[in-house]
Amino acid sequence: MPRILSLTLILSMLHLTSAGQAFSDTQAAEFLTQIKKSKPDTNRVDLLLKLATYHCFKPKIKASKADSALILCHLAESLSTQLGYIKGLGQSWMLLSKTLRDNNQPEKGKPYIGRSVELLNKYNYQLELGEAYLELSYYHPITLGKEIAERISITRQVVEAFHKAGNKQREGDALKELGDLHQVNGENALALLDLKEALKLYQSISFPKLQGVYYLLGSVYKELGDYREAIRNGLLAIAISESEKDSTALMSTIYNHMGITCYALNELQQANAYYQKALSIAKKNNDAESIHVLSLNIVPILLSLDKPTEALSFLKDIVKKYPSTDPSIRVFIASRFMNIYLRLKQYSIGQQYCNELLEIGAKNELDAPSHMAYYSAIIKFYLASKQYNEARKYLPGFEILATKLGNLKELSSISLSWFKLDSVQGNYGAAITHYQRYKNLSDSMVDESKTKEIARLQVQFESEKKDQSIQLKEKNIEVLIKEGQIQRNDLKQANLLKNVTFGGVALLLIIVILLYNRYRLKQQTNNQLEVQQKEITGKNQSLQHLVNEKEWLLKEIHHRVKNNLQMVMSLLNSQSAYLNSDAALLAIRDSQHRVQSISLIHQKLYQSESVYELSMPAYIQELVEYFRSAFSTGQRIRFQLNVEPVVLNVSQALPLGLILNEAITNSIKYAFPGDAEGSINISLQENTADHFLLTITDNGIGMSTHPDKQANDSLGMSLMHGLSEDIDARISIENNNGTIIKVAFKYERQESQKPALMETGIDNKLTSHE
């Protein structure tokens, strides 16, 4: 019996976030709009990941789509790192891995998925960990040996993670994937356990799309030789798919599987019907690979039905419309043509395809199934065309390959070929030996009783299906009879309804009149409300105009106060030119510094949008620049600022400015005698909610007993203590490798002010090193 092919299909399409694969273009556009409006928080990270998923799972992803996905993933990664958003960071790395792997850069993608698995496992994000393990499994291709064993091991971890997360659908998906892998690896008993568990989970949540798991169960039962269950599960898969009008590649695969089973039962007409259905779906989807496989399965059916001419015309048409360059497909196509020409006894044309087959085998390294088909077709042709010596050349290689694969069916066929060859060439002893081996191998094949039982089960299933259809028709007839009775009752009540109708019309007119009257009253009320609203709007505009004028006047006041203070500084400067006393000059300069501290506040208020509030980072920065210029410190004294982005009202900012003036002036003048170098640190930090600490420290000589300094400091110290009391602050001064001045105060809010604290974060903090 000619070799029948199975369609290759990945049934368990698992995904990072199941909905992500189904994102539409409209949803993607909405994600982009929301990202533009969002704040830099975890919600933005989630939106970035959704949009990245949309690009990542686009069918036949292009380079531009991959670039978009990579950019979005890196943005999500950066923001997640900044926010400390563990789940977002793990998902960002997972999508980076998929994007790079899908674009043939697995060496770049694999480190990302390793980091994702480690992070999500550490913080116990089980659902996301399951998706990450799944992505990791794709780095191990489905090939027999070490790779598939590793993939099975990782998929078990996928199942465990989804189980811990309590997501039964994803756990079922993972078990279905695991069962598929066990079947590919030849572990059918394990595959059956996994698939049954997956089916149980799906049924517990009433999951409707069970055709995939039923198809796999049917395939496993067929491999185990339980054809009764193979047929039953295959028909269940078909019933569900047809009820959903499924036309995907999965439906084509299910029909092909049923065709293979029917062909094994020698139910040729039914096998052909299933193959034709599968072929129709494959053509709709323009799936060339599936078209080739199904066509190659249909040809043996036509030959078995003694239709070689029809088979030849059919196969030529397929090859013409869907040419293939795949060596494996070409092997099967050439072998099918050889079988057709053998049936037509046109050996010379068949020899051409035999030569083509030999050329394909010489130029290509064939996989196991196509290599087996290669040997089988060549040997069959040489025996039929009486080229016995040529057949003898290829039989040993065929036998070695079949023995290696443990294929009893082919070994039985090879023994029969040896028997025929030895009989024709007079090697009767060897012929008898090979025939005995052929019989022994045949006896271990499928029992004929199973075939009859499968046929009986299929007939029974079809009969039940017809009975259900008849019962449904009978129920429809009963429904029609009942509907007729209802119609007769309706006619009897028609006269009663006529009488009621007149009363109903009258009542309806009354209701309409009442509703119209209510509508008129509502219109009058609305007109009155509109007039009142216009009056309120006019008053609000007037009040807003007054508020704007007030703010403008306050700005002008700040401007003039600043100018007046500048004039005072100029007068003090002029006065200092006529003084000879160092103490007087020192007092004049100290006064100038204090005036400058106040003047700077009014200047900042005049330049800012708010006339009530002052940004402390900008103010302290400019104040420091002023002292460095006024005292010509150069690089001898370094200032280090660590000021949180706090906005204070004028009543607190002015005293704090003067305190800063006194503290910085004293440090510059006395902390570093001579040309000593040092640093002055200024810090303004929020310790607890609305409680701040202003700290001025230097690494100079500390508090001194110098008489001039004591005399001068008396006013400065008094000012600092007095100003601290004005704002209900606590001030402390101490020596510790220099002088440390601390001012602790509570932030005062005013009803007319906006919230003073701005958004905080590591990037918003003012840090200056000079």
Side-chain angles (χ1 to χ4, degrees):
M1 186 176 286
R3 180 183 302 275
I4 301 299
L5 306 180
S6 296
L7 294 178
T8 301
L9 180 67
I10 297 175
L11 296 172
S12 304
M13 293 300 292
L14 304 177
H15 165 44
L16 307 166
T17 92
S18 300
Q21 292 182 2
F23 289 148
S24 63
D25 294 343
T26 303
Q27 287 175 305
E30 179 62 24
F31 293 152
L32 184 59
T33 302
Q34 292 178 23
I35 288 170
K36 292 177 180 178
K37 295 179 181 178
S38 66
K39 296 179 180 180
D41 55 14
T42 57
N43 180 53
R44 177 180 285 184
V45 173
D46 293 338
L47 288 169
L48 287 168
L49 290 173
K50 287 180 180 179
L51 190 56
T53 301
Y54 162 78
H55 288 296
C56 188
F57 283 90
K58 263 289 201 183
K60 298 181 180 178
I61 185 168
K62 297 181 180 178
S64 60
K65 295 292 183 183
D67 291 341
S68 299
L70 288 173
I71 291 170
L72 291 165
C73 288
H74 282 303
L75 287 173
E77 177 191 22
S78 176
L79 185 54
S80 296
T81 303
Q82 182 181 340
L83 297 172
Y85 185 29
I86 301 299
K87 185 170 74 170
L89 187 59
Q91 289 178 310
S92 302
W93 288 339
M94 182 165 42
L95 278 176
L96 280 168
S97 167
K98 172 168 176 51
T99 305
L100 291 167
R101 178 177 55 79
D102 285 347
N103 284 272
N104 300 318
Q105 301 181 65
E107 69 287 347
K108 292 183 179 180
K110 195 169 185 179
Y112 282 113
I113 194 58
R115 291 158 62 187
S116 176
V117 167
E118 183 179 359
L119 184 69
L120 295 170
N121 191 29
K122 179 179 178 181
Y123 289 92
N124 201 33
Y125 287 102
Q126 292 297 328
L127 182 60
E128 292 74 17
L129 178 62
E131 305 292 355
Y133 272 131
L134 182 65
E135 167 61 20
L136 179 61
S137 72
Y138 293 149
Y139 283 89
H140 300 278
I142 305 178
T143 55
L144 296 177
K146 183 178 179 182
E147 289 297 332
I148 194 170
E150 184 64 24
R151 183 156 177 171
I152 288 172
S153 175
I154 296 171
T155 307
R156 286 198 188 98
Q157 293 175 298
V158 178
V159 174
E160 182 181 355
F162 286 145
H163 178 73
K164 289 180 179 178
N167 192 317
K168 291 186 177 182
Q169 181 178 334
R170 299 298 285 137
E171 185 182 357
D173 293 339
L175 281 166
K176 187 169 67 171
E177 172 84 356
L178 186 59
D180 199 2
L181 291 171
H182 278 309
Q183 183 189 14
V184 172
N185 203 33
E187 300 167 322
N188 291 304
L190 293 176
L192 196 59
L193 292 174
D194 294 330
L195 293 170
K196 284 185 175 180
E197 185 64 25
L199 182 61
K200 187 187 300 182
L201 283 170
Y202 284 146
Q203 291 173 337
S204 70
I205 59 173
S206 300
F207 184 67
K209 297 184 178 181
L210 300 176
Q211 58 265 47
V213 71
Y214 279 130
Y215 161 74
L216 284 174
L217 280 167
S219 298
V220 174
Y221 276 121
K222 179 178 175 295
E223 292 298 322
L224 290 172
D226 190 343
Y227 290 94
R228 178 194 296 268
E229 286 298 314
I231 286 286
R232 189 180 72 84
N233 283 279
L235 292 174
L236 283 171
I238 289 174
I240 294 172
S241 298
E242 288 181 345
S243 68
E244 294 184 353
K245 297 181 180 179
D246 190 359
S247 60
T248 63
L250 175 58
M251 190 63 198
S252 181
T253 303
I254 293 171
Y255 279 137
N256 180 67
H257 167 73
M258 288 300 295
I260 293 172
T261 307
C262 290
Y263 184 73
L265 297 172
N266 204 30
E267 295 290 338
L268 302 181
Q269 296 291 354
Q270 191 144 5
N272 189 44
Y274 282 126
Y275 286 142
Q276 292 296 343
K277 287 182 179 181
L279 183 61
S280 176
I281 294 173
K283 286 182 177 180
K284 281 183 181 179
N285 296 329
N286 199 27
D287 185 354
E289 182 179 355
S290 296
I291 291 170
H292 289 140
V293 171
L294 291 163
S295 301
L296 295 171
N297 286 350
I298 289 171
V299 168
I301 298 287
L302 295 175
L303 291 178
S304 298
L305 293 171
D306 199 21
K307 297 179 179 180
T309 305
E310 183 179 337
L312 181 61
S313 176
F314 168 77
L315 189 56
K316 282 184 175 180
D317 183 60
I318 290 295
V319 171
K320 182 180 179 180
K321 291 181 179 178
Y322 305 97
S324 176
T325 57
D326 185 347
S328 297
I329 295 296
R330 290 175 61 205
V331 164
F332 283 103
I333 291 174
S335 66
R336 291 295 187 266
F337 274 118
M338 287 168 62
N339 290 336
I340 292 170
Y341 284 114
L342 282 177
R343 181 64 63 86
L344 294 171
K345 299 189 182 303
Q346 298 179 11
Y347 300 117
S348 59
I349 302 177
Q351 183 66 52
Q352 297 175 12
Y353 286 100
C354 182
N355 295 337
E356 180 183 343
L357 199 56
L358 291 171
E359 184 180 353
I360 295 170
K363 292 183 177 179
N364 299 279
E365 185 175 347
L366 303 175
D367 58 23
S370 55
H371 208 173
M372 293 285 283
Y374 166 84
Y375 276 125
S376 179
I378 290 173
I379 292 168
K380 181 179 179 181
F381 178 77
Y382 281 144
L383 286 173
S385 60
K386 300 181 181 181
Q387 301 181 58
Y388 303 124
N389 290 331
E390 294 296 324
R392 190 175 288 275
K393 290 181 183 178
Y394 292 96
L395 268 171
F398 192 15
E399 189 168 13
I400 291 170
L401 179 60
T403 302
K404 181 180 178 181
L405 297 175
N407 193 319
L408 294 178
K409 183 179 178 181
E410 293 295 355
L411 286 172
S412 174
S413 174
I414 291 167
S415 295
L416 183 60
S417 297
W418 276 119
F419 164 72
K420 292 177 180 178
L421 186 61
D422 289 333
S423 297
V424 170
Q425 294 186 333
N427 300 324
Y428 300 115
I432 292 171
T433 301
H434 284 118
Y435 186 76
Q436 289 175 341
R437 187 179 178 215
Y438 161 70
K439 290 298 293 180
N440 291 334
L441 290 169
S442 297
D443 290 341
S444 62
M445 306 297 282
V446 180
D447 190 12
E448 289 295 328
S449 61
K450 288 187 178 180
T451 302
K452 295 178 182 179
E453 178 63 22
I454 294 167
R456 186 194 64 78
L457 181 61
Q458 187 174 7
V459 171
Q460 180 181 344
F461 184 90
E462 295 294 337
S463 298
E464 290 175 355
K465 189 174 180 181
K466 290 178 181 178
D467 291 339
Q468 290 175 358
S469 177
I470 293 170
Q471 290 174 4
L472 182 61
K473 289 178 180 178
E474 290 175 350
K475 287 181 180 180
N476 290 336
I477 292 171
E478 291 176 0
V479 170
L480 290 172
I481 293 172
K482 289 180 180 179
E483 287 179 352
Q485 293 174 348
I486 292 171
Q487 287 176 356
R488 286 192 293 272
N489 292 333
D490 290 341
L491 290 173
K492 292 179 181 179
Q493 296 177 1
N495 293 327
L496 178 61
L497 289 174
K498 287 180 182 179
N499 297 328
V500 175
T501 301
F502 291 107
V505 170
L507 181 62
L508 181 61
L509 286 172
I510 295 171
I511 293 172
V512 168
I513 292 170
L514 292 173
L515 289 173
Y516 179 75
N517 184 46
R518 185 172 180 82
Y519 169 76
R520 291 294 302 274
L521 291 173
K522 187 174 181 181
Q523 285 292 98
Q524 292 175 1
T525 304
N526 288 340
N527 291 336
Q528 292 175 359
L529 289 174
E530 286 179 1
V531 171
Q532 292 175 358
Q533 183 63 40
K534 288 180 180 178
E535 291 177 358
I536 293 170
T537 302
K539 291 178 180 180
N540 286 340
Q541 290 175 347
S542 299
L543 289 173
Q544 184 62 43
H545 181 68
L546 290 173
V547 170
N548 292 338
E549 286 185 348
K550 177 186 174 184
E551 290 185 352
W552 180 83
L553 287 172
L554 285 174
K555 280 184 174 287
E556 186 63 25
I557 289 170
H558 284 307
H559 182 56
R560 294 192 181 188
V561 169
K562 187 263 296 183
N563 289 342
N564 289 337
L565 290 173
Q566 291 294 329
M567 186 179 294
V568 170
M569 289 183 65
S570 298
L571 290 172
L572 289 173
N573 190 49
S574 299
Q575 183 64 42
S576 66
Y578 298 96
L579 295 177
N580 295 324
S581 170
D582 292 338
L585 286 170
L586 182 60
I588 290 291
R589 290 194 184 96
D590 288 344
S591 297
Q592 285 180 312
H593 297 328
R594 291 169 185 137
V595 171
Q596 175 62 22
S597 299
I598 300 171
S599 174
L600 185 57
I601 289 176
H602 286 285
Q603 179 181 346
K604 299 298 291 183
L605 290 171
Y606 171 71
Q607 293 174 344
S608 68
E609 293 182 1
S610 173
V611 295
Y612 308 104
E613 302 168 317
L614 182 67
S615 174
M616 294 305 291
Y619 169 70
I620 293 173
Q621 180 73 40
E622 289 196 23
L623 188 62
V624 167
E625 291 296 329
Y626 164 74
F627 283 124
R628 183 159 56 175
S629 174
F631 287 97
S632 302
T633 61
Q635 298 299 319
R636 182 174 66 86
I637 299 176
R638 299 182 304 279
F639 290 89
Q640 295 184 347
L641 308 183
N642 188 10
V643 183
E644 284 197 357
V646 60
V647 178
L648 298 180
N649 56 62
V650 180
S651 62
Q652 286 186 304
L654 189 57
L656 288 174
L658 289 171
I659 290 172
L660 280 167
N661 173 78
E662 297 301 321
I664 296 172
T665 302
N666 285 341
S667 292
I668 292 174
K669 291 196 301 185
Y670 303 113
F672 311 103
D675 292 327
E677 295 183 353
S679 64
I680 299 173
N681 300 331
I682 300 172
S683 170
L684 178 58
Q685 300 291 320
E686 183 180 20
N687 291 337
T688 58
D690 288 344
H691 287 79
F692 289 81
L693 178 64
L694 174 65
T695 308
I696 307 101
T697 62
D698 63 56
N699 60 352
I701 61 175
M703 299 293 289
S704 174
T705 58
H706 193 283
D708 291 340
K709 182 179 186 304
Q710 289 179 341
N712 205 312
D713 279 355
S714 60
L715 176 59
M717 293 299 175
S718 298
L719 275 173
M720 285 194 286
H721 282 89
L723 292 167
S724 298
E725 292 177 358
D726 289 343
I727 59 174
D728 294 328
R730 290 181 291 103
I731 186 169
S732 65
I733 304 173
E734 59 184 72
N735 275 330
N736 187 3
N737 296 324
T739 302
I740 303 174
I741 300 174
K742 297 181 179 179
V743 181
F745 64 96
K746 182 179 179 181
Y747 176 75
E748 295 180 359
R749 295 183 182 273
Q750 296 183 6
E751 293 181 358
S752 60
Q753 290 180 238
K754 299 178 182 177
L757 290 178
M758 301 192 305
E759 184 175 341
T760 59
I762 190 66
D763 292 334
N764 294 326
K765 187 176 291 183
L766 171 64
T767 304
S768 175
H769 300 283
E770 299 176 283

